[in-house]
Amino acid sequence: MNVFDKNASVVIDDAELLADEAKYSSFGDTVHYVNPPKIFRHGEGSYMFDTAGTPFLDLQMWYSAVNFGYGNKRLNDTLKRQIDLLPQVASQYLHQTRIELAKTVARDAKKKFGLDGRVHFNVGGAQAIEDSLKLVRNYKNGKSLMFAFEGGYHGRTLGASSITSSYRYRRRFGHFGERAMFLPFPYPFRRPKGMTPEEYSDSCVNQFARLFETEYNGVWDPKTNQCEYAAFYVEPIQGTGGYVVPPMGFFKGLKKVLDQYGILLVVDEIQMGFWRTGKLWSIEHFGVTPDVVVFGKALTNGLNPLSGLWAREEMINPTIFPPGSTHSTFNSNPLGTALGLEVIKMGYELDYEKTVPVKGAHFLEGLRELQKKHKEIGDVDGLGLALRAEICTEDGFTPNKALLDKMVDIGLAGDLTHNGKKIGLVLDVGGWYKNVITFAPSLDITHEEIDLAISLLDQLLTKAKKG
């Protein structure tokens, strides 16, 4: 038996846990990045600790769900207070923080977008996407077809899979007759030769606009001025797709086409929301007004499942979207809404809009210096603390998934060194070719921890290249 865990009354040995997991757990609800899978016992700030007590600097923070660090005292204390006050209540009844959180998000949207709206809760990002699909279909008189992007990811429920471009998530579950039409997303690093990023962005918008030229282009009936498609689902920065940041003018061009043909803009902020990019919502960087915003993950810092959406008043008022249009037993649960309310208060009080861009610039500068040393880093980019490093072969362009896989293995082995002691590194793999490190560190990461991250990445690449 191992006795590392300071809180557990019984600590089961790693080997026994892995044997039990192999026998009793479905592998369908997880992804094993390394073999054997890694077991962690404790988290604090930017670090997780394994059974041996080795620290691992986490640069992905549970896919951007733990934006405010492990063991955040302010948020943990909020959870503890709520447990003693009102830990649970059936979702057909009301409680204070549910109403306060909805009001806070709606007022914030009114200030930024100039629109009245309402907030609707659920428990997970994919479930909130499902709710948004119902909302859109209802508002658009039953139209069930959507536009979405190549490289986009919106979840793995049936509805969310239909608007996620990867066939891998749909392949074994039947034919998706209402699968979205997937359009090119401007990917600056892999743009066509001879084009600037802005020209490529414009060409993507023009390719979309061409669908409406005549009735024979496929989606538009000029006699009735109706589109077959109801909405366009977008991630302002592609998450699982590799933290791809489009040129700043892209969404303005896209929104102009959407407005011209009466198509709704649904913005998926599940991974990029809550100051990951330096704004509460990443769409704020691009100067367009959404019709729906879907959010989740960092809303509760990963402490409790809660998600939701904001939508324009005319789409979601009780006359058009009446009680019972969707329902989840645990939606708007008081533990989650208390945390969500505190997250938003804390975010504005600690001024993440100023601190995140500064830290992001520091991190990006370190990645660029690393890129000069390692020609296998083909591209680095980012917005706020959503950053990317694309791992390639020595030509600096050809995707090199094998090298990144080695890096992940070495990082999770915990055999890197810092000040003469062992340390590990937690990375996330993303991108169209699974060759991109997607960095989503704690928003409270220090400049010293950023420097450590760059140093560890240097060690990691050097070791991985040696094989």
Side-chain angles (χ1 to χ4, degrees), residues 217-238:
N217 292 88
V219 303
W220 181 249
D221 181 355
K223 292 186 177 181
T224 61
N225 288 331
Q226 285 194 48
C227 180
E228 190 175 10
Y229 290 73
F232 205 134
Y233 275 74
V234 311
E235 295 169 284
I237 297 173
Q238 291 201 330

Side-chain angles (χ1 to χ4, degrees), residues 408-429:
V408 171
D409 289 347
I410 294 168
L412 285 177
D415 286 332
L416 303 173
T417 59
H418 175 59
N419 291 336
K421 296 181 179 180
K422 285 189 174 185
I423 189 171
L425 196 61
V426 179
L427 301 176
D428 190 32
V429 175

Side-chain angles (χ1 to χ4, degrees), residues 89-372:
V89 64
S91 55
Q92 66 262 43
Y93 304 120
L94 298 178
H95 55 91
Q96 181 171 322
T97 55
R98 177 196 197 279
I99 298 166
E100 282 189 283
L101 180 56
K103 177 181 177 181
T104 299
V105 172
R107 282 191 165 186
D108 188 88
K110 173 75 171 181
K111 180 179 178 181
K112 291 169 179 172
F113 306 133
L115 296 172
D116 291 322
R118 297 172 187 254
V119 174
H120 177 105
F121 293 111
N122 210 311
V123 291
Q127 288 84 356
I129 289 289
E130 294 282 339
D131 286 351
S132 74
L133 287 166
K134 281 190 172 182
L135 186 78
V136 167
R137 288 182 177 204
N138 180 68
Y139 183 67
K140 285 291 187 175
N141 299 313
K143 285 186 179 178
S144 56
L145 295 179
M146 310 294 158
F147 294 112
F149 280 122
E150 296 174 359
Y153 179 86
H154 302 285
R156 301 196 198 185
T157 56
L158 287 174
S161 294
S162 73
I163 57 172
T164 292
S165 67
S166 176
Y167 174 51
R168 179 165 65 93
Y169 302 134
R170 297 187 301 274
R171 179 179 60 82
R172 292 174 294 109
F173 305 112
H175 177 64
F176 284 66
E178 293 173 333
R179 183 181 74 93
M181 179 185 289
F182 298 107
L183 282 300
F185 188 84
Y187 188 161
F189 179 59
R190 299 197 174 275
R191 66 187 183 273
K193 289 183 179 180
M195 278 189 177
T196 67
E198 290 72 24
E199 287 170 341
Y200 181 34
S201 172
D202 290 344
S203 75
C204 289
V205 172
N206 292 336
Q207 185 173 340
F208 176 58
R210 182 180 174 275
L211 296 175
F212 303 89
E213 283 184 6
T214 75
E215 65 183 275
Y216 296 102
N217 292 88
V219 303
W220 181 249
D221 181 355
K223 292 186 177 181
T224 61
N225 288 331
Q226 285 194 48
C227 180
E228 190 175 10
Y229 290 73
F232 205 134
Y233 275 74
V234 311
E235 295 169 284
I237 297 173
Q238 291 201 330
T240 301
Y243 283 24
V244 180
V245 183
M248 283 295 152
F250 173 65
F251 283 107
K252 283 186 178 178
L254 182 71
K255 186 64 160 59
K256 186 176 179 180
V257 179
L258 297 180
D259 288 347
Q260 183 176 352
Y261 296 105
I263 301 161
L264 299 171
L265 176 63
V266 182
V267 176
D268 181 339
E269 294 280 358
I270 294 164
Q271 191 163 162
M272 292 297 156
F274 303 103
W275 296 283
R276 170 56 54 200
T277 65
K279 300 283 188 184
L280 180 66
W281 310 126
S282 61
I283 195 65
E284 295 177 52
H285 295 279
F286 298 94
V288 297
T289 299
D291 296 291
V292 180
V293 175
V294 185
F295 52 86
K297 285 192 186 291
L299 174 62
T300 63
N301 203 40
L303 291 170
N304 190 83
L306 185 71
S307 65
L309 63 85
W310 167 90
R312 292 191 287 111
E313 172 71 10
E314 55 265 42
M315 294 181 65
I316 201 172
N317 70 74
T319 300
I320 191 169
F321 204 66
S325 294
T326 77
H327 182 76
S328 171
T329 300
F330 296 99
N331 71 26
S332 68
N333 64 83
L335 298 179
T337 55
L339 282 164
L341 188 62
E342 194 66 24
V343 159
I344 295 178
K345 287 180 180 176
M346 183 180 74
Y348 280 118
E349 287 174 12
L350 298 183
D351 207 0
Y352 285 119
E353 285 201 4
K354 288 186 179 179
T355 62
V356 168
V358 172
K359 291 177 181 179
H362 184 184
F363 206 134
L364 189 56
E365 180 184 4
L367 290 174
R368 285 174 175 152
E369 289 300 314
L370 204 60
Q371 186 181 27
K372 293 176 185 177

